[in-house]
Amino acid sequence: MLTGEIRSKVDQVWNAFWAGGIANPLEVIEQITYLLFMRGLDDIQTREENKANTLGRPIEREIFPEGIYRTVRDDETGEIKEEIPYSMLRWSRFKDVDPARMFFLVSDNVFPFLRDMAEKGTAHSEHMKGARFTIPTPGLLTKVVDLLADIPLEDRDTKGDLYEYMLGKIASAGQNGQFRTPRHIIQLMVELTKPTPNDVICDPASGTCGFLVAAGEYLREHHKSLFRDTELNRHFHSGMFHGYDFDQTMLRIGSMNMQLHGVENPDIRYRDSLASGHADDADKYSLILANPPFAGSLDYETTAADLLSIVKTKKTELLFMALFLKLLKPGGRAAVIVPDGVLFGSSKAHRAIRKMLVDNHKLDAIVKLPSGVFKPYAGVSTAIVFFTKTNSGGTDHVWFYDLQADGMSLDDKRQMLVSEDKFGPVPKSALTAEEHAKNNLPDVVVRWTDRDGAERTNPRTGQSFTVTREEIAAAEYDLSLNRYKEVVHEAADHRPPKVIIAELLVLEDEIANGLKELEGML
């Protein structure tokens, strides 16, 4: 957990960026990401040097070689003014120099070095192509470097929490349409899909890689032994996690988020998921976790032909559903957030994709989310769809859960309604009935495990219930919870009309008598 002191330092730097003229939160995080990357490179080199010294052999992986990186010459005379050795590009060296010198080293030397590394395809540096240094003053750079130097980044949890805290500021600033899926909703989806050490996990709209990070953290907590198995350990660091995005800034931020959470070599790459073909990764993944951007329509010409062959539509929300089916291997499972329109839309394409999920694969569950989950940036109603790709059907009963409270207020402020230890899908202590009314997530986890048992007998008036495949087919594959939920209307006890009329006549007589008395007074 981050201490209040570290949070305070981050807030100070954030305010310094804003005061220095950088108001875009993504740009702030991007600049901090570059600095964290520089520190990480220095840490890797230090580890390699220590290993080489201990084993008495040459360094296997040298990031900062011996010798001169750059020669600085006088513009007019061409005389050599200074030679910059590679060693001066290391975080441990430039963090202690004076502000003006640090600014010169970072802007004119370290950043070109990062871009060179990216062009050469060096490990960890792939997303540093086009890296721009936009910190405006030596004073601000020094302040940020001092902050990061004070934070003990040897601890993976601290690094991860620090980055998560900063990423939260994207949401609180809410600019550029960038807002993250709330962390507790991601954790719910991970908790229900239960990633395993052999899974190959993909998020085709990865953004900051929140889903992939949460899956990694789940495995660290529930499958600690995987790191003692050479093959599983290698798979975790180099083969398990795959994320696509077509925003280079988000790729950099997502890649750094994974690295700071201890995943050494995740596959986070540039890809327009709906526009490019998928021959190279069709039927590849065993688990998909995603909340893709559902905005508008695409032209048929710019849409991947292999997706149009699954469902002929221009709507991005339906194309993403087709994409998930394309990417999953048989037996693979998915938990994805969709707008409510996908569940009840009446177009031919809407019905076709739902029919496909129910008849050709195994639709497991629909968890309806409260409409305030993404506030203040989007008030759209959404649901989480859980399904398994089978290519041979398998849907028997579909489990529905009406999630009404997620532990936070559903207005624009999104304030916590329960204490920290009662928050999220797996709280540290049990919830009372009153607290359950404010946080339904633990109840979802408990009932999910029993969806093939006692949940089958739940009445349709309850918060969760199941619906048979036949009933869904008869309702034209409508998957909206309200289509099947039964509302009990309490019978009101009305008095007989004659009694009410008699009372009104008595009141009328009293009013008439009062008026006569008033008239007599006048």
Side-chain angles (χ1 to χ4, degrees):
M1 292 294 293
L2 286 185
T3 63
E5 184 185 358
I6 293 176
R7 286 173 192 258
S8 175
K9 284 181 179 175
V10 173
D11 291 341
Q12 287 170 23
V13 167
W14 208 267
N15 293 334
F17 268 109
W18 283 66
I22 300 181
N24 179 350
L26 277 178
E27 189 176 352
V28 175
I29 290 189
E30 192 174 25
Q31 294 301 305
I32 293 175
T33 296
Y34 294 142
L35 294 171
L36 286 171
F37 184 70
M38 294 170 202
R39 180 170 172 182
L41 290 178
D42 190 34
D43 290 345
I44 291 169
Q45 174 93 359
T46 302
R47 279 200 302 273
E48 289 289 332
E49 288 170 348
N50 292 340
K51 189 164 127 189
N53 290 334
T54 304
L55 299 174
R57 62 189 191 200
I59 293 178
E60 288 178 8
R61 190 167 147 227
E62 196 169 41
I63 297 169
F64 303 96
E66 297 282 331
I68 304 301
Y69 166 67
R70 173 174 171 244
T71 301
V72 182
R73 296 181 181 275
D74 188 283
D75 290 340
E76 294 180 2
T77 65
E79 290 182 5
I80 296 175
K81 290 172 63 177
E82 181 184 5
E83 290 183 326
I84 310 289
Y86 279 98
S87 60
M88 282 307 296
L89 308 183
R90 297 180 64 163
W91 170 277
S92 53
R93 293 291 299 275
F94 71 68
K95 75 180 176 69
D96 295 321
V97 301
D98 66 78
R101 177 70 174 166
M102 185 193 297
F103 194 79
F104 162 72
L105 286 171
V106 172
S107 62
D108 291 7
N109 298 278
V110 176
F111 264 75
F113 175 69
L114 288 182
R115 289 193 289 268
D116 289 345
M117 283 181 69
E119 291 303 325
K120 292 172 185 169
T122 312
H124 295 306
S125 65
E126 185 182 342
H127 303 301
M128 294 300 149
K129 288 176 184 172
R132 294 179 310 112
F133 180 69
T134 59
I135 295 177
T137 64
L140 179 55
L141 175 62
T142 305
K143 192 166 188 175
V144 180
V145 168
D146 287 348
L147 160 86
L148 296 177
D150 285 347
I151 297 172
L153 294 186
E154 295 76 27
D155 176 29
R156 182 184 57 80
D157 287 339
T158 303
K159 285 194 290 194
D161 288 347
L162 168 73
Y163 212 65
E164 283 288 334
Y165 180 64
M166 291 195 297
L167 289 175
K169 291 181 176 291
I170 295 180
S172 59
Q175 298 190 4
N176 308 315
Q178 298 284 2
F179 58 89
R180 294 158 56 242
T181 310
R183 198 175 181 184
H184 56 292
I185 299 298
I186 291 176
Q187 287 169 341
L188 172 69
M189 294 163 69
V190 170
E191 197 66 38
L192 299 189
T193 52
K194 296 190 183 313
T196 69
N198 291 304
D199 268 322
V200 182
I201 306 171
C202 178
D203 180 353
S206 55
T208 63
C209 291
F211 283 102
L212 300 180
V213 163
E217 296 300 290
Y218 178 91
L219 286 163
R220 284 183 186 280
E221 188 175 337
H222 293 86
H223 298 277
K224 294 184 175 71
S225 61
L226 81 85
F227 299 103
R228 294 193 291 274
D229 182 301
T230 306
E231 281 303 312
L232 290 178
N233 186 46
R234 184 184 298 120
H235 175 63
F236 179 89
H237 287 293
S238 301
M240 180 178 286
F241 301 103
H242 304 262
Y244 308 147
D245 211 292
F246 55 80
D247 182 326
Q248 288 289 359
T249 299
M250 298 312 285
L251 284 170
R252 274 193 279 270
I253 291 172
S255 187
M256 178 58 70
N257 198 15
M258 292 295 286
Q259 204 173 318
L260 291 177
H261 279 89
V263 182
E264 292 172 6
N265 191 27
D267 171 30
I268 311 300
R269 59 190 146 113
Y270 179 90
R271 184 166 202 163
D272 186 341
S273 291
L274 297 183
S276 54
H278 304 91
D280 60 331
D281 56 359
D283 299 334
K284 180 177 178 181
Y285 305 108
S286 62
L287 176 60
I288 286 180
L289 298 162
N291 176 19
F294 299 111
S297 304
L298 299 178
D299 294 330
Y300 286 136
E301 296 76 38
T302 58
T303 305
D306 55 359
L307 297 185
L308 291 175
S309 67
I310 297 174
V311 60
K312 182 85 172 186
T313 181
K314 295 180 179 180
K315 290 197 165 293
T316 54
E317 58 263 42
L318 300 182
L319 289 168
F320 267 112
M321 293 301 287
L323 173 67
F324 301 145
L325 288 170
K326 184 81 178 171
L327 297 181
L328 281 174
K329 63 169 65 171
R333 58 216 191 279
V336 296
I337 296 175
V338 301
D340 272 2
V342 170
L343 304 179
F344 59 75
S346 57
S347 78
K348 185 178 176 183
H350 278 88
R351 277 201 295 270
I353 203 81
R354 294 197 302 265
K355 185 176 190 300
M356 206 177 297
L357 283 175
V358 173
D359 288 353
N360 300 354
H361 305 284
K362 186 176 186 295
L363 179 62
D364 298 302
I366 306 286
V367 176
K368 179 175 170 51
L369 297 175
S371 59
V373 160
F374 294 107
K375 280 192 173 182
Y377 315 108
V380 64
S381 293
T382 55
I384 310 171
V385 178
F386 295 86
F387 64 90
T388 305
K389 178 176 176 177
T390 64
N391 292 327
S392 58
T395 304
D396 181 12
H397 287 71
V398 178
W399 185 66
F400 287 82
Y401 190 102
D402 186 7
L403 185 69
Q404 296 164 356
D406 69 340
M408 302 177 81
S409 64
L410 297 171
D411 55 13
D412 285 354
K413 291 182 179 176
R414 291 291 278 156
Q415 294 173 321
M416 293 268 285
L417 298 179
V418 293
S419 58
E420 190 76 40
D421 62 323
K422 303 288 181 78
F423 187 65
V426 189
K428 293 182 176 66
S429 49
L431 275 64
T432 64
E434 185 183 347
E435 287 164 339
H436 161 72
K438 297 174 183 176
N439 178 17
N440 297 166
L441 302 185
D443 188 52
V444 180
V445 175
V446 171
R447 295 194 190 201
W448 165 269
T449 58
D450 211 16
R451 67 189 185 284
D452 294 327
E455 288 290 301
R456 295 268 179 99
T457 60
N458 276 4
R460 296 281 175 89
T461 53
Q463 194 164 7
S464 65
F465 52 85
T466 61
V467 180
T468 63
R469 191 201 73 79
E470 291 74 23
E471 190 175 344
I472 290 171
E476 294 193 317
Y477 298 93
D478 189 322
L479 296 176
S480 57
L481 179 138
N482 291 336
R483 178 74 174 74
Y484 306 102
K485 190 175 176 72
E486 293 174 5
V487 180
V488 178
H489 298 284
E490 289 184 18
D493 188 16
H494 298 297
R495 292 178 297 154
K498 286 186 176 181
V499 174
I500 296 171
I501 290 170
E503 288 179 2
L504 288 173
L505 290 172
V506 170
L507 287 171
E508 203 170 312
D509 288 343
E510 288 178 5
I511 291 168
N513 292 334
L515 286 171
K516 284 179 183 177
E517 281 183 31
L518 187 59
E519 188 179 28
M521 290 175 167
L522 298 172

